[in-house]
């Protein structure tokens, strides 16, 4: 293990020593690609039988969405979870109280949302220190990350945590790079740029690709991309997760400081101890999870507004709705009647490809 870590630290120190200019860009690109490869080996080591997973980490996914709490030890993650979900996660004033993943579940707007209190991440988690690797592996499966920060020292913590998560291929509040990349059998490297590039040119792209032993590929850059973006696309194991920064312990700062904090994007100031500002937090969580509620209506009865079927924003067709209810329904589907904002007439007869909006009411008619 130490050999990979030694290689990583050697490359990082060389990158820190190298000046950034046009002449060294190819060298830096090569170092970044090497670093990404080593990091990938750290996350999933080559060969060897499956190691024994430590207890308490693999948590079964339940509910409609999963939210992970990430933060340094003792910033108030467990207090927040126990006050939000009524789950008892051991709370104490010393670091590393929570040692395994503690799941909780809340119901918000009819959707069941699983909350995971992940053990505190320490600096160097991505290099295998502490139990950071398992923590971040669980974080990769979440639909949303709550980064809990102490509002007395938020920015230093935020940078360190983002650096740890980036090292594990988690990208927070970012979109996947708009780069077309396809390997082929022959024909060399074919690079097309739709806009002028400030960093990437053909030589740098070839240098990075040669580190991955790729000598034939089509690449189209649709925006001004960096070498990091290109490496992300080649690695292909990056996960893009929305993140909300929770600045905890606002009961210890002044009103003027609070006004400044409110202007930071993706941020919610809260006090886990006093239950302050939880409604703002839950509202923002709903917005970032991008869930939609669809109500069912049995024939001849009123719609059931208490238990909606919750769909993710990107998969909201009638077919997805049927599959969420039961796999067999889509096969017997004849047509559906829909009331709501996704149709012109109330009700309207629609087919299986119709896309639903939030809070639509659906009645499904099966083949006889």
């Amino acid at each position: 293990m130490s050999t990979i870590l030694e290689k990583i630290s050697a490359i990082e120190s060389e990158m820190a020593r190298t000046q950034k200019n046009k002449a060294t860009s190819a060298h830096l690109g090569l170092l970044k690609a090497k670093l990404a490869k080593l990091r990938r080996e750290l996350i999933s080591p080559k060969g060897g039988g499956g190691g024994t997973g430590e207890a308490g980490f693999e948590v079964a996914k339940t509910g409609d969405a999963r939210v992970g709490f990430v933060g340094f030890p003792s910033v108030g993650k467990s207090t927040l979870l126990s006050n939000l979900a009524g789950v008892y996660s051991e709370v104490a004033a010393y670091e590393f109280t929570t040692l395994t993943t503690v799941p909780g579940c809340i119901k918000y707007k009819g959707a069941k949302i699983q909350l995971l209190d992940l053990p505190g991440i320490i600096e160097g988690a991505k290099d295998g220190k502490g139990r950071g690797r398992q923590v971040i592996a669980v974080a990769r499966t979440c639909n949303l990350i709550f980064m809990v920060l102490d509002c007395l020292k938020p920015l230093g913590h935020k940078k360190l945590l983002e650096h740890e998560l980036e090292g594990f291929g988690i990208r927070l509040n970012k979109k996947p790079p708009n780069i077309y990349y396809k390997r082929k059998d022959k024909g060399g490297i074919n690079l097309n740029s739709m806009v002028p590039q400030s960093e990437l040119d053909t030589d740098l792209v070839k240098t990075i690709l040669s580190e991955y032993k790729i000598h034939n590929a089509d690449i189209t850059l649709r925006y001004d991309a960096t070498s990091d973006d290109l490496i992300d696309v080649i690695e292909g194991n990056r996960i893009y997760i929305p993140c909300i920064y929770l600045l905890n312990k606002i009961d210890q700062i002044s009103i003027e400081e609070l006004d400044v904090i409110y202007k930071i994007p993706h941020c919610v100031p809260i006090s886990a101890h006093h239950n302050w500002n939880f409604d703002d937090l839950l509202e923002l969580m709903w917005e970032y999870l991008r869930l939609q509620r669809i109500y069912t209506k049995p024939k001849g009865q009123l719609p059931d507004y208490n238990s909606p079927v919750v769909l993710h924003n990107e998969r909201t067709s009638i077919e997805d709705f049927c599959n969420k209810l039961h796999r067999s329904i889509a096969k017997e589907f004849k047509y559906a009647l829909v009331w709501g904002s996704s149709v012109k007439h109330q009700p309207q007869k629609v087919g299986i490809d119709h896309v639903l909006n939030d809070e639509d009411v659906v009645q499904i008619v099966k083949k006889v």
Side-chain angles (χ1 to χ4, degrees):
M1 196 64 174
S2 59
T3 52
I4 297 183
L5 294 179
E6 281 161 14
K7 284 179 192 167
I8 286 180
S9 60
I11 290 176
E12 279 180 341
S13 58
E14 189 177 342
M15 280 169 73
R17 284 197 308 270
T18 311
Q19 286 185 332
K20 282 183 185 162
N21 55 40
K22 200 73 185 159
T24 61
S25 66
H27 180 58
L28 275 171
L30 187 65
L31 289 177
K32 282 178 182 170
K34 281 185 175 165
L35 194 61
K37 278 171 68 178
L38 288 168
R39 290 255 168 86
R40 186 182 59 205
E41 275 181 44
L42 256 189
I43 303 173
S44 48
K46 283 181 188 168
T52 52
E54 289 186 51
F57 264 90
E58 283 314 303
V59 179
K61 207 165 182 176
T62 59
D64 301 302
R66 187 179 223 186
V67 177
F69 289 76
V70 175
F72 276 95
S74 299
V75 286
K77 298 193 296 296
S78 301
T79 314
L80 180 61
L81 183 76
S82 51
N83 287 350
L84 269 179
V87 173
Y88 184 69
S89 176
E90 195 179 332
V91 180
Y94 53 85
E95 300 198 340
F96 297 111
T97 325
T98 310
L99 288 175
T100 56
T101 310
V102 179
C105 196
I106 55 170
K107 207 164 179 188
Y108 186 66
K109 295 193 178 180
K112 287 193 187 74
I113 294 162
Q114 186 182 31
L115 305 176
L116 294 182
D117 177 15
L118 302 171
I121 289 186
I122 53 169
E123 230 177 306
K126 65 179 187 307
D127 304 331
K129 279 189 199 161
R131 295 179 96 183
R133 279 178 53 201
Q134 293 116 313
V135 176
I136 300 185
V138 174
R140 280 174 72 100
T141 65
C142 296
N143 303 92
L144 171 67
I145 286 180
F146 279 172
M147 191 177 284
V148 189
L149 305 166
D150 192 331
C151 71
L152 301 173
K153 42 188 174 190
L155 291 174
H157 274 183
K158 177 172 175 274
K159 277 209 177 85
L160 285 170
L161 281 168
E162 282 177 345
H163 186 65
E164 294 298 320
L165 293 170
E166 295 249 320
F168 259 90
I170 294 176
R171 301 284 177 264
L172 301 176
N173 294 330
K174 286 184 185 170
K175 295 243 174 359
N178 194 357
I179 297 175
Y180 171 79
Y181 160 75
K182 188 179 182 192
R183 291 184 73 164
K184 51 189 185 179
D185 297 334
K186 52 178 189 276
I189 304 286
N190 183 14
L191 178 69
N192 295 316
S193 312
M194 294 187 172
V195 290
Q197 299 292 323
S198 56
E199 186 181 331
L200 290 174
D201 54 13
T202 314
D203 294 338
L204 179 52
V205 169
K206 280 184 177 167
T207 310
I208 292 173
L209 287 172
S210 67
E211 174 59 32
Y212 284 95
K213 300 187 174 58
I214 297 171
H215 304 293
N216 302 298
D218 287 332
I219 292 173
T220 306
L221 305 171
R222 299 195 181 103
Y223 69 111
D224 185 6
T226 63
S227 52
D228 288 326
D229 294 338
L230 180 63
I231 290 168
D232 279 358
V233 172
I234 299 166
E235 282 279 342
N237 61 354
R238 304 295 185 240
I239 290 184
Y240 298 85
I241 304 179
C243 174
I244 299 176
Y245 304 105
L246 312 185
L247 293 167
N248 191 13
K249 308 186 184 177
I250 52 169
D251 45 328
Q252 300 174 7
I253 57 171
S254 64
I255 298 286
E256 291 78 16
E257 289 171 304
L258 193 57
D259 284 344
V260 173
I261 284 174
Y262 241 112
K263 291 176 181 144
I264 307 172
H266 312 297
C267 257
V268 183
I270 56 159
S271 168
H273 187 65
H274 295 286
N275 291 12
W276 291 349
N277 209 14
F278 279 7
D279 28 3
D280 261 19
L281 165 63
L282 291 170
E283 197 50 53
L284 198 66
M285 173 189 80
W286 183 258
E287 192 185 312
Y288 276 51
L289 283 172
R290 306 199 2 242
L291 299 173
Q292 294 195 359
R293 293 154 294 173
I294 311 295
Y295 301 112
T296 53
K297 181 187 178 307
K299 196 172 180 185
Q301 294 173 29
L302 287 170
D304 178 8
Y305 288 116
N306 292 328
S307 47
V309 175
V310 179
L311 300 174
H312 195 266
N313 197 313
E314 288 156 11
R315 298 186 297 276
T316 55
S317 69
I318 294 274
E319 188 173 3
D320 297 316
F321 171 75
C322 291
N323 289 337
K324 187 85 193 243
L325 288 172
H326 196 276
R327 296 239 178 94
S328 65
I329 294 181
K331 291 174 191 150
E332 300 165 5
F333 178 87
K334 188 176 180 189
Y335 64 87
L337 294 170
V338 177
W339 292 257
S341 57
S342 69
V343 290
K344 274 186 185 172
H345 311 292
Q346 310 291 339
Q348 187 169 324
K349 196 169 161 180
V350 298
I352 201 159
D353 296 330
H354 176 76
V355 176
L356 298 161
N357 285 354
D358 192 24
E359 299 203 83
D360 279 0
V361 175
V362 177
Q363 177 183 329
I364 286 176
V365 179
K366 293 183 185 177
K367 294 172 190 162
V368 181

